[in-house]
Amino acid sequence: MNNQPPADKLKRSIGFWSALSIVIGTIIGSGIFFKQASVLDSAKSSTMTILAWVLGGLITLTGGLTIAEIGAQMPYTGGLYVYIERLYGRIIGFLAGWMQVIVYGPAIIASVAGFMSILMVNFFGLSSAWRIPLALITIILIGILNFFDNKVGSAFSVITTIGKMVPIAAIIIFGIFWGKQDAFGQTLTQLNHTSGGFGVAILATLFGYDGWILIATLGGEMKNPQKVLPKAIILGISAVLIIYTLITAGILRFIPVNLIHRLGENTTAYLATKAFGKIGGKLLTAGIIISMMGTLNGKIITFPRIVYAMAERQDLPFSKFLSYLTPKGKSPLVATAFIVLLATVLMIFFDPDHLSDLCVFTIYCFYVLAFFGIFILRKKNSQRPFSTPLYPLVPIVAIIGGLYIIVSEIINDPAGVGLFLSMVIIGLPILYLVKKYYSQKEN
């Protein structure tokens, strides 16, 4: 039975700029464009709204700095799955991988595609009946794109990351330099008493920052991952933090807070239309669609690598097929098709908004375990390719931030939390049956 990391079989062709674009492209999706009103409703003022985005970014950065040290010592395909397994053993490691390939990965892909399809039907003037077909077509096409050499998917990430910077730059520049409001000091008077407080505002921003850890899944396909991985994670999160803060400031400079409250998810589109006219609104929508396509591509690149890593260890049913690599490009073709299929099923039967909340809760359960792992590795290894600065403060902040997300979601949605945790735990009997099958086969 194969228990070794499968990193050496995949093609090491991802350099620093591709890795950085995957980090930025995977994080910047729908959150920053659709969460402005919800963050403001909870923060109650423009100053506290900006502070919420900054603190959310800093909490995310502490997590990134912590994982950067761990990932540099384990530069294998599989990312979080491999980290948890090596830190806590095969059972917990399996659950981390199972959670990502059955729950988190397909759910987040389905969620992003679902949100994107809303914009697409509006952009093309179609009826809402086209939402799911358009989302399915997009997922399938991006999945096919990733059947080829990993350079193709990486190049698409670079292109979409550059493309999404155009509407982002337009919002920042026009809002900050031509806006007539004060970005700081505005107070929301039309209060929504069910929106929560400042802590809930930070929680909303953390949903917008999620996705950064997926680059660790490609450790086995990076050139010099001990150096590239930490740099890509740290610089990628830092860049997104700055971008998110500037976008928020630009929107608050251009639109009064009470109007943002009333506009809700249409805030950014309103800014584009008022600033650049009807054509500008269309162009911004196109830019956001490109942004979300880049996010989808980043996730469809990374999650099949987890399936591949688990199949190489014979942790999944049909492992022989799921671990298949294309002869020339060394891409996990069957694993990619598997993830696309699961995402398609979830998209048909579940609401994208609810999916996004629950999958973030699920992944943070294992983030926190990984964050604790830095203390285990510090005792074992005195020599490290990368050391987290301000240790142990940085990992402690990351752990506290992760625990806050977990507790908040349990309080807010206990039924949904129970459903998703059940989907994770059911992996244990499946692991037992799979191992029993392969053991009998070998004997």
Side-chain angles (χ1 to χ4, degrees):
M1 191 174 296
N2 183 9
N3 292 328
Q4 298 303 315
D8 58 333
K9 294 185 180 180
L10 290 160
K11 198 172 182 180
R12 289 190 181 272
S13 59
I14 298 176
F16 168 71
W17 290 107
S18 290
L20 181 64
S21 69
I22 290 171
V23 174
I24 296 174
T26 305
I27 296 175
I28 301 178
S30 58
I32 186 61
F33 301 112
F34 289 100
K35 287 285 188 180
Q36 291 293 335
S38 62
V39 174
L40 173 63
D41 285 348
S42 296
K44 305 295 190 296
S45 73
S46 61
T47 303
M48 298 305 287
T49 297
I50 293 173
L51 182 60
W53 283 103
V54 171
L55 290 179
L58 291 175
I59 291 171
T60 305
L61 184 59
T62 60
L65 287 166
T66 304
I67 291 296
E69 178 173 322
I70 297 170
Q73 296 175 70
M74 305 179 192
Y76 310 121
T77 298
L80 185 64
Y81 162 53
V82 174
Y83 305 160
I84 297 294
E85 179 188 286
R86 293 201 154 207
L87 288 165
Y88 301 105
R90 292 278 285 158
I91 300 298
I92 305 300
F94 167 80
L95 287 177
W98 176 263
M99 172 273 302
Q100 290 182 85
V101 302
I102 300 297
V103 181
Y104 175 70
I108 202 71
I109 290 171
S111 178
V112 173
F115 284 130
M116 184 186 64
S117 67
I118 296 172
L119 293 176
M120 293 177 79
V121 295
N122 291 333
F123 183 83
F124 293 110
L126 301 172
S127 69
S128 59
W130 279 94
R131 277 185 52 194
I132 290 180
L134 283 173
L136 292 178
I137 291 169
T138 305
I139 287 179
I140 291 169
L141 289 177
I142 295 176
I144 292 172
L145 182 72
N146 284 282
F147 286 170
F148 302 104
D149 190 302
N150 56 23
K151 286 183 179 179
V152 178
S154 297
F156 187 71
S157 287
V158 173
I159 293 169
T160 54
T161 299
I162 293 171
K164 73 177 60 180
M165 291 304 161
V166 175
I168 286 172
I171 292 171
I172 292 171
I173 293 171
F174 193 91
I176 290 178
F177 293 102
W178 278 274
K180 294 180 171 56
Q181 311 296 320
D182 289 327
F184 298 93
Q186 296 184 64
T187 301
L188 184 64
T189 57
Q190 300 173 0
L191 297 178
N192 183 351
H193 295 291
T194 62
S195 60
F198 185 65
V200 177
I202 296 176
L203 184 62
T205 68
L206 288 172
F207 294 156
Y209 281 107
D210 191 50
W212 55 271
I213 201 172
L214 295 182
I215 188 62
T217 306
L218 303 174
E221 297 173 77
M222 287 182 194
K223 304 170 185 176
N224 195 5
Q226 287 87 351
K227 290 185 178 180
V228 170
L229 183 61
K231 284 174 61 180
I233 289 176
I234 294 165
L235 292 179
I237 294 173
S238 299
V240 173
L241 192 162
I242 294 169
I243 290 168
Y244 279 12
T245 304
L246 290 175
I247 288 177
T248 303
I251 290 173
L252 290 169
R253 280 272 295 158
F254 191 80
I255 308 175
V257 292
N258 287 315
L259 182 54
I260 293 174
H261 167 78
R262 293 196 299 272
L263 289 168
E265 294 179 350
N266 296 315
T267 297
T268 309
Y270 172 86
L271 184 152
T273 304
K274 293 295 286 187
F276 306 109
K278 189 175 181 180
I279 295 176
K282 286 282 188 182
L283 289 174
L284 180 71
T285 300
I288 296 174
I289 291 172
I290 291 171
S291 166
M292 297 173 84
M293 283 185 177
T295 302
L296 277 176
N297 183 62
K299 296 180 190 310
I300 293 175
I301 285 176
T302 52
F303 286 115
R305 270 66 183 179
I306 305 172
V307 176
Y308 167 78
M310 295 183 73
E312 273 289 290
R313 295 172 171 85
Q314 297 182 340
D315 281 354
L316 296 173
F318 310 107
S319 288
K320 180 180 178 180
F321 299 101
L322 291 172
S323 61
Y324 172 77
L325 297 176
T326 54
K328 185 178 179 180
K330 298 297 181 184
S331 295
L333 187 150
V334 180
T336 301
F338 174 72
I339 288 292
V340 169
L341 178 62
L342 288 180
T344 299
V345 172
L346 288 175
M347 188 190 316
I348 293 172
F349 291 104
F350 291 92
D351 171 68
D353 191 38
H354 197 204
L355 277 177
S356 64
D357 290 348
L358 288 172
C359 65
V360 170
F361 158 80
T362 312
I363 193 72
Y364 261 91
C365 292
F366 290 90
Y367 278 177
V368 171
L369 283 176
F371 297 157
F372 273 111
I374 193 173
F375 301 107
I376 298 172
L377 290 177
R378 284 274 178 145
K379 290 182 179 180
K380 291 182 178 179
N381 305 326
S382 57
Q383 299 295 322
R384 297 173 294 275
F386 173 82
S387 295
T388 300
L390 299 177
Y391 176 90
L393 178 62
V394 166
I396 288 173
V397 172
I399 290 168
I400 292 172
L403 289 174
Y404 176 77
I405 291 177
I406 292 169
V407 173
S408 297
E409 191 62 24
I410 290 173
I411 294 171
N412 291 332
D413 186 14
V417 165
L419 173 63
F420 267 49
L421 288 181
S422 298
M423 293 171 67
V424 174
I425 294 170
I426 202 174
L428 289 176
I430 291 176
L431 176 65
Y432 170 78
L433 293 174
V434 168
K435 291 302 182 186
K436 184 178 180 180
Y437 168 78
Y438 283 114
S439 177
Q440 291 174 347
K441 188 177 180 181
E442 289 177 359
N443 294 332

